[in-house]
Amino acid sequence: MELKYKGQNLDLKYDIGRIKIIEKATNMPLMALLSQTSGMMSLETLETYFAYGLKNVDNDSYIPVSKGLEIADDLIQNEGYSQIVSIVVDALQRDCPFFFQVA
């Protein structure tokens, strides 16, 4: 799901490498987090997942994390927590379906 933010075309993109970086930053495995919180992660964790996954669609580069944190904070305040957490979880399911396979 592409996002428009101050004239930029952005998207969240995750792969195994990004998830490993985020898990290290949050000190919590992704699936443990989603299981324990039913997807309703803390603001700090939500901002971390958002910032580390944020890419500029036009040049296919990740946004610097510090800028991503600012954008996450702004969007949470303006769009609402539930909207942003939904975008993050949807992107995780889209990009990392191997986490969500049912045995």
Side-chain angles (χ1 to χ4, degrees):
M1 172 185 196
E2 284 192 27
L3 308 161
K4 288 273 193 192
Y5 182 80
K6 295 186 178 180
Q8 292 182 326
N9 296 314
L10 306 174
D11 196 6
L12 295 176
K13 292 287 183 179
Y14 300 100
D15 58 24
I16 290 175
R18 278 281 140 174
I19 299 301
K20 287 179 182 180
I21 293 168
I22 296 167
E23 287 180 339
K24 187 172 185 178
T26 60
N27 200 30
M28 173 72 74
L30 169 62
M31 294 312 290
L33 169 73
L34 294 176
S35 175
Q36 289 175 9
T37 67
S38 298
M40 295 290 133
M41 55 192 85
S42 71
L43 283 172
E44 183 176 13
T45 301
L46 175 58
E47 288 175 347
T48 300
Y49 270 87
F50 190 92
Y52 277 89
L54 195 59
K55 271 189 125 170
N56 184 318
V57 173
D58 298 327
N59 64 17
D60 197 38
S61 64
Y62 282 99
I63 301 292
V65 173
S66 59
K67 182 66 177 168
L69 290 168
E70 291 175 21
I71 294 170
D73 184 61
D74 190 35
L75 289 174
I76 291 167
Q77 289 185 56
N78 291 309
E79 303 295 326
Y81 168 87
S82 60
Q83 175 68 19
I84 303 307
V85 80
S86 177
I87 290 170
V88 168
V89 172
D90 287 350
L92 288 166
Q93 290 174 328
R94 174 196 69 207
D95 296 339
C96 303
F98 49 87
F99 279 121
F100 304 96
Q101 294 174 347
V102 177

